[in-house]
């Protein structure tokens, strides 16, 4: 039952000790506020990292050549490794049961790109048909390069959505328009979209066309693959590591590179990188929990201290209550009510302000690797409930001491 007189007494007591109560409540509220904000920031980091990895297929593995750093089998260090079509074709055949998709790529350099009389400064890359899925590009209009385009070395191009908006804003659709690449007209057959604008500043053409039309020979700049999905994250990481080791070993043998010469060719796995970043965010999240809990503990200790002061200041009142027949548990309940009230009001105040701040500011935060900071409401609410329980325990010791006060001694108290 709601006891109006009891709560009126609590308000009167708090009013008398308003400065101490305010500072204690502020400490508790700030503890919850800091904890929720830190947890929200930690989740924002995780969201940002997930967004970064969504730019490419989550199981993608990329391979590109470097420069040897060690002498091996009579060959001097400092050799620049050059991948060729045969490397990609053989790797695709060797690991056919391991990979899901694959594409080689060549960067077409030293060319001019024009649309009508307008000179364009976008990069041109030759890729295979599977590159769309490796790069996780979605088609807005038309289609991507297909196998027939590769076989026939077709003079077709796929442009990014940013290029469409910047260059082709005066036509209804760029599909069917032509861009001139060093004097060779390429018909636009599709418009793709990526996660970031910078990823949409590319013009893709068939890799066979890029090699034949722009003196690429059989050279390629890098290779990329996707691995088939597996049941869980750890299996996906193990699969990626095994594939990395296998393809590195094949390429080292093919190009006569020392087994421990890691600089001769780089192999990057999205799954391994994800594991590294997720491990980092988990450690940061634990640290945030530690800081927040320490702040809350400081507030709870403050609640205990102010309850001790309240008991001391109300010693005579407690003695009178006991003289009039008040039971020990009624004295304990009286003190606990105040402890719970201060903790609950402060805790929910910190929760409301922190959740409101995340809701208003979170979606507008634009920082690298931080996206939409947020926190699960159930977790935050549960934290406040635990805080109230801790505040109850913090007030129990002073309440127990109050119940043990001797009537005669309390009436003598000045």
């Amino acid at each position: 039952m709601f006891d109006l007189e009891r709560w009126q007494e609590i308000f009167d007591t708090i009013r008398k000790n308003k400065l101490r109560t305010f500072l204690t409540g502020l400490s508790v509220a700030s503890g919850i506020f800091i904890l929720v904000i830190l947890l929200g920031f930690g989740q924002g980091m995780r969201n940002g990292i997930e967004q970064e990895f969504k730019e490419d297929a989550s199981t993608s593995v990329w391979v590109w050549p470097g420069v040897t750093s060690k002498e091996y089998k009579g060959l001097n260090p400092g050799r620049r490794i050059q991948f060729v079509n045969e490397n990609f074709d053989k790797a695709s055949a060797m690991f056919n049961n391991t990979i899901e998709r694959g594409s080689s790529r060549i960067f077409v350099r030293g060319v001019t790109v024009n649309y009508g009389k307008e000179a364009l400064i976008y990069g041109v890359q030759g890729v295979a048909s599977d590159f769309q899925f490796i790069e996780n590009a979605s088609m807005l209009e038309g289609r991507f390069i297909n196998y027939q385009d590769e076989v026939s070395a077709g003079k077709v191009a796929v442009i990014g959505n940013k290029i469409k908006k910047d260059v082709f804003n005066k036509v209804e659709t760029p599909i069917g328009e032509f861009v001139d690449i060093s004097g060779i007209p390429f018909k636009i057959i599709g418009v793709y979209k990526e996660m970031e604008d910078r990823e949409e500043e590319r013009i893709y053409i068939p890799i066979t066309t890029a090699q034949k039309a722009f003196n690429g020979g059989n050279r390629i700049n890098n290779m990329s693959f996707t691995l088939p999905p597996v049941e869980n994250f750890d299996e996906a990481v193990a699969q990626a590591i095994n594939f990395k080791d296998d393809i590195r070993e094949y390429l080292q043998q093919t190009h006569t590179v020392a087994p421990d010469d890691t600089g001769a060719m780089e192999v990057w796995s999205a799954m391994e990188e994800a594991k590294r970043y997720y491990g980092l965010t988990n450690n940061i999240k634990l640290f945030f929990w530690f800081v927040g809990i320490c702040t809350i503990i400081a507030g709870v200790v403050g609640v205990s201290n102010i309850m001790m002061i309240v008991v001391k200041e109300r010693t005579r009142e407690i003695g009178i209550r006991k003289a009039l027949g008040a039971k020990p548990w009624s004295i304990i309940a009286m003190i606990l009510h105040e402890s719970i009230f201060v903790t609950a009001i402060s805790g929910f105040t910190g929760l409301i302000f922190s959740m409101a701040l995340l809701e208003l500011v979170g979606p507008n935060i634009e920082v690298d690797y931080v996206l939409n900071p947020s926190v699960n409401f159930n977790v935050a609410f549960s934290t406040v409930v635990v805080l109230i329980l801790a505040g109850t325990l913090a007030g129990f010791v002073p309440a127990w001491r109050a119940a043990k006060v001797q009537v005669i001694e309390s009436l003598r108290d000045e």
Side-chain angles (χ1 to χ4, degrees):
M1 248 182 109
F2 183 76
D3 190 343
L4 182 60
E5 291 184 2
R6 175 82 280 271
W7 288 105
Q8 185 61 49
E9 289 178 7
I10 292 174
F11 280 115
D12 291 340
T13 304
I14 290 175
R15 211 165 28 242
K16 293 176 185 176
N17 301 279
K18 57 185 177 181
L19 180 59
R20 286 195 298 264
T21 304
F22 172 77
L23 293 176
T24 302
L26 183 63
S27 176
V28 175
S30 64
I32 287 292
F33 181 86
I34 291 171
L35 176 59
V36 172
I37 293 297
L38 289 177
L39 291 179
F41 185 78
Q43 184 60 44
M45 291 182 64
R46 195 173 186 89
N47 294 340
I49 291 170
E50 288 179 355
Q51 184 75 3
E52 289 290 326
F53 283 106
K54 283 180 181 178
E55 292 180 9
D56 299 325
S58 59
T59 60
S60 61
V61 176
W62 299 74
V63 190
W64 62 94
V67 178
T68 60
S69 59
K70 297 185 178 183
E71 182 275 335
Y72 186 64
K73 292 186 177 180
L75 298 175
N76 293 326
R79 288 183 297 123
R80 181 168 292 280
I81 302 299
Q82 176 63 62
F83 290 164
V84 294
N85 289 338
E86 183 184 355
N87 297 149
F88 174 74
D89 294 338
K90 191 170 182 180
S92 298
M94 286 178 62
F95 306 111
N96 181 55
N97 295 328
T98 304
I99 62 177
E100 186 177 43
R101 299 180 184 275
S103 172
S104 52
R105 176 164 62 162
I106 182 172
F107 301 111
V108 183
R109 298 186 173 94
V111 295
T112 58
V113 183
N114 295 278
Y115 172 62
K117 296 181 179 180
E118 184 178 359
L120 310 182
I121 57 172
Y122 303 108
V124 180
Q125 299 181 13
V127 298
S129 55
D130 276 351
F131 193 74
Q132 174 193 352
F133 306 101
I134 298 171
E135 190 70 5
N136 206 16
S138 57
M139 299 305 298
L140 294 181
E141 296 182 48
R143 64 174 178 84
F144 200 75
I145 295 163
N146 61 28
Y147 179 72
Q148 186 59 40
D149 296 326
E150 296 178 56
V151 172
S152 63
K155 294 179 177 58
V156 294
V158 180
I159 64 172
N161 190 45
K162 187 174 187 301
I163 299 177
K164 174 193 171 182
K165 292 187 290 186
D166 292 347
V167 180
F168 298 93
N169 52 12
K170 294 182 180 179
V171 297
E172 184 176 347
T173 175
I175 304 299
E177 297 289 321
F178 285 84
V179 290
D180 185 288
I181 304 178
S182 289
I184 303 174
F186 282 77
K187 183 179 180 180
I188 298 175
I189 60 172
V191 179
Y192 69 89
K193 180 175 178 57
E194 291 255 20
M195 294 289 185
E196 295 185 8
D197 283 352
R198 61 183 176 83
E199 301 289 341
E200 297 177 351
E201 297 181 340
R202 302 169 182 169
I203 299 174
Y204 292 131
I205 63 176
I207 188 168
T208 50
T209 309
Q211 291 175 328
K212 292 178 181 179
F214 303 108
N215 300 318
N218 68 341
R219 298 184 300 275
I220 59 177
N221 292 112
N222 61 47
M223 299 179 282
S224 52
F225 305 91
T226 58
L227 307 180
V230 292
E231 291 185 1
N232 58 60
F233 183 77
D234 291 334
E235 285 185 26
V237 173
Q239 175 184 247
I241 293 173
N242 291 334
F243 178 71
K244 279 180 58 177
D245 293 341
D246 291 342
I247 196 167
R248 179 183 279 116
E249 181 181 0
Y250 155 67
L251 292 170
Q252 286 173 338
Q253 292 176 354
T254 301
H255 293 276
T256 318
V257 174
D260 58 345
D261 188 353
T262 56
M265 54 201 64
E266 297 289 339
V267 186
W268 182 89
S269 162
M271 293 305 301
E272 272 192 288
E273 202 70 11
K275 181 180 180 181
R276 187 177 297 113
Y277 278 110
Y278 289 157
L280 176 62
T281 57
N282 288 337
N283 290 335
I284 292 174
K285 194 172 183 179
L286 287 175
F287 176 72
F288 286 167
W289 270 108
F290 175 76
V291 172
I293 289 174
C294 285
T295 308
I296 290 174
I297 289 174
V300 171
V301 170
V303 172
S304 179
N305 289 337
I306 197 173
M307 289 301 105
M308 296 280 274
I309 294 171
V310 167
V311 169
K312 184 173 179 60
E313 291 181 348
R314 300 178 66 181
T315 301
R316 286 180 62 84
E317 176 192 340
I318 292 170
I320 293 171
R321 285 175 177 271
K322 295 189 73 173
L324 294 175
K327 301 295 182 182
W329 281 109
S330 67
I331 302 297
I332 293 175
M334 178 183 70
I335 304 300
L336 286 183
H337 281 167
E338 297 181 22
S339 175
I340 294 171
F341 179 81
V342 172
T343 308
I345 292 297
S346 303
F348 281 112
T349 300
L351 174 65
I352 292 169
F353 274 97
S354 57
M355 294 293 289
L357 183 63
L358 287 176
E359 189 69 25
L360 293 173
V361 179
N364 300 316
I365 292 179
E366 296 182 1
V367 182
D368 289 342
Y369 294 104
V370 177
L371 176 67
N372 191 21
S374 59
V375 66
N376 187 301
F377 179 78
N378 291 332
V379 173
F381 184 80
S382 299
T383 304
V384 175
V385 172
V386 172
L387 171 67
I388 295 173
L389 293 176
T392 303
L393 293 176
F396 183 77
V397 174
W400 183 257
R401 290 185 178 180
K404 293 294 185 181
V405 169
Q406 298 296 321
V407 175
I408 295 177
E409 292 180 4
S410 62
L411 293 177
R412 290 175 181 172
D413 186 70
E414 298 293 338

